[in-house]
Amino acid sequence: MSGGTRVVAIYADELLRRGHEVFVVAPPARPVPGFQRVRDYLAGKGWTRYRSRRPSHFDGRSTNVKLLDHWRRVEEEDVPDADIVIATWWETAEWIRSFSDRKGVKVYFVQHHEVFPYLPVERCRATYQFPFHKIVVARWLKDLMESEYGDANVDLVPNSVDRSQFFAQQRLKQRRPTVGLLYATSEFKGVDIALAALELVRTNIPELQIVSFGSQDPSAHLALPAGTEYLRSPPQDQIREIYASCDVWLTASRSEGFNLPAMEAMACRTPVVSTRAGWPEEAIKPGWNGWLADVDDVAELARGVEWILLRTEDEWGRLSDNALATVATSSWEASTDLFEGALGRAWRKSRTEFPKAVVGP
């Protein structure tokens, strides 16, 4: 249920709707590690080998999805002959690198710079040097591909927000000052920084209400403050209500490819306080539709949250209107126009550079 997978599912459906043939191939969830199986057994959960089938952003969509029978790399024979084959993150880029030309022109859809310590960093870096046509979701990724990997021929296709799903009526501030945040334990999401900032805010606004949602139970080492209203894996149509119940949305990521929740919150008329990471750095104008702080700057994040919460009704209303205006022209139809155009350029470029290549069935 990650945001990156959601974006892939949206483009798959949009391209299918435009008459393209779209085929998605994916392995199922990885086997449960041995130590986790022992832990589950001792906790009375039984002996499990594989993770249970989880909800997916592809559920209920028209796209043809082939789920492999067990976790393994996707091989060439798993994939139909095509005009384009798209890798959706560093590992799949490794997988398609050796595919023959019959599988299509190789495109790398880059939604983040995957150089985290829990991943094989050098292997990840190497994928950005593969001779694939790249599509990136944010300006900073386009600049990075040129400055660090020497690739200036990169298409920028920003993510969008489904305003039929994420919307809200014009409203007043909450009776009780309310802040929302997405809960995740990954260090780069910066939830520890967000919680530290909210602790500071509570010193001046002790009645502060915190609302959060995420795909996992809060862990002991990253506990939510007492009284937090937490929803685990809420239905997609309920997420809009969460955003709209907040006076400010807080995100303290140390790194972000894009940050869809920030855009979705703005579509629900909620000002956003964010670190300078991903899309918020490009979209937020401090004091106009939210507030920006440097990465790991607890005090400045707290200052931004407090500043928004202490605005008058009229001042907050203008912030709310401006948040909506920030994403008013965004649409997945427009983004798909750009994505489709990028795929066309990749295909035409391959015909020019390799005129004898077989790029289709």
Side-chain angles (χ1 to χ4, degrees):
M1 297 301 289
S2 70
T5 302
R6 182 168 176 234
V7 170
V8 172
I10 289 171
Y11 280 133
D13 252 20
E14 288 293 330
L15 290 169
L16 185 69
R17 196 171 292 121
R18 295 179 182 211
H20 300 284
E21 293 183 53
V22 182
F23 194 85
V24 176
V25 187
R30 294 175 185 265
V32 178
F35 74 88
Q36 185 65 51
R37 279 185 266 163
V38 173
R39 184 181 299 172
D40 288 348
Y41 181 79
L42 294 176
K45 298 180 181 179
W47 187 257
T48 56
R49 185 178 178 190
Y50 294 99
R51 301 188 191 279
S52 60
R53 170 72 170 87
R54 299 172 179 174
S56 165
H57 284 299
F58 285 96
D59 294 345
R61 295 185 182 273
S62 303
T63 307
N64 187 1
V65 178
K66 176 181 178 180
L67 196 65
L68 304 183
D69 56 358
H70 64 279
W71 198 95
R72 60 174 174 82
R73 65 181 292 141
V74 174
E75 303 289 354
E76 182 166 340
E77 55 266 26
D78 298 316
V79 179
D81 291 352
D83 298 301
I84 302 281
V85 58
I86 306 173
T88 57
W89 92 308
W90 73 270
E91 199 168 15
T92 56
E94 287 187 336
W95 295 349
I96 74 168
R97 188 183 187 190
S98 62
F99 284 11
S100 69
D101 292 335
R102 291 185 298 105
K103 303 304 170 182
V105 177
K106 297 178 177 69
V107 172
Y108 193 177
F109 184 34
V110 180
Q111 299 195 67
H112 208 320
H113 189 215
E114 306 285 356
V115 291
F116 305 117
Y118 58 84
L119 295 175
V121 172
E122 293 310 312
R123 284 173 58 192
C124 296
R125 288 187 184 279
T127 64
Y128 301 118
Q129 296 176 322
F130 290 173
F132 300 169
H133 187 86
K134 298 184 186 70
I135 301 174
V136 299
V137 298
R139 169 65 58 182
W140 78 271
L141 284 168
K142 180 176 174 64
D143 294 342
L144 183 74
M145 290 302 123
E146 181 172 6
S147 63
E148 190 162 332
Y149 299 101
D151 189 351
N153 186 27
V154 175
D155 277 295
L156 171 60
V157 180
N159 289 336
S160 295
V161 61
D162 183 349
R163 285 179 286 117
S164 68
Q165 179 180 355
F166 297 105
F167 61 92
Q169 298 299 317
Q170 195 169 33
R171 65 182 190 274
L172 301 176
K173 293 168 62 178
Q174 304 297 313
R175 291 184 178 180
R176 182 180 177 186
T178 303
V179 177
L181 73 156
L182 182 71
Y183 183 88
T185 55
S186 299
E187 184 182 8
F188 76 87
K189 289 294 184 181
V191 172
D192 56 326
I193 298 299
L195 296 180
L198 293 179
E199 185 176 350
L200 285 181
V201 174
R202 269 190 166 168
T203 61
N204 293 324
I205 308 177
E207 70 275 24
L208 181 71
Q209 173 66 43
I210 301 171
V211 178
S212 180
F213 73 92
S215 61
Q216 59 196 116
D217 290 328
S219 66
H221 80 276
L222 194 60
L224 290 168
T228 297
E229 180 184 339
Y230 182 73
L231 295 92
R232 177 180 175 180
S233 301
Q236 290 295 299
D237 57 2
Q238 189 178 350
I239 295 176
R240 174 184 69 83
E241 299 173 5
I242 298 172
Y243 290 135
S245 71
C246 300
D247 298 309
V248 58
W249 187 258
L250 175 62
T251 172
S253 297
R254 295 180 170 93
S255 173
E256 277 288 352
F258 190 83
N259 197 329
L260 267 178
M263 179 178 263
E264 293 166 354
M266 284 195 177
C268 297
R269 291 181 170 271
T270 303
V272 173
V273 171
S274 174
T275 45
R276 290 182 170 88
W279 175 81
E281 183 174 15
E282 302 174 19
I284 292 177
K285 300 175 183 178
W288 188 77
N289 58 359
W291 201 270
L292 282 175
D294 290 338
V295 170
D296 287 339
D297 193 337
V298 173
E300 188 64 15
L301 286 168
R303 179 170 174 251
V305 170
E306 191 169 327
W307 184 85
I308 291 174
L309 293 177
L310 295 179
R311 294 307 89 197
T312 65
E313 289 285 4
D314 287 344
E315 289 170 340
W316 185 87
R318 284 192 290 273
L319 286 168
S320 176
D321 289 344
N322 293 339
L324 177 63
T326 303
V327 299
T329 60
S330 172
S331 75
W332 283 111
E333 291 78 9
S335 290
T336 304
D337 287 343
L338 296 174
F339 198 91
E340 187 179 36
L343 296 181
R345 278 187 291 279
W347 189 84
R348 289 191 296 273
K349 178 184 173 185
S350 74
R351 302 292 285 183
T352 301
E353 293 183 352
F354 309 104
K356 295 182 179 180
V358 178
V359 296

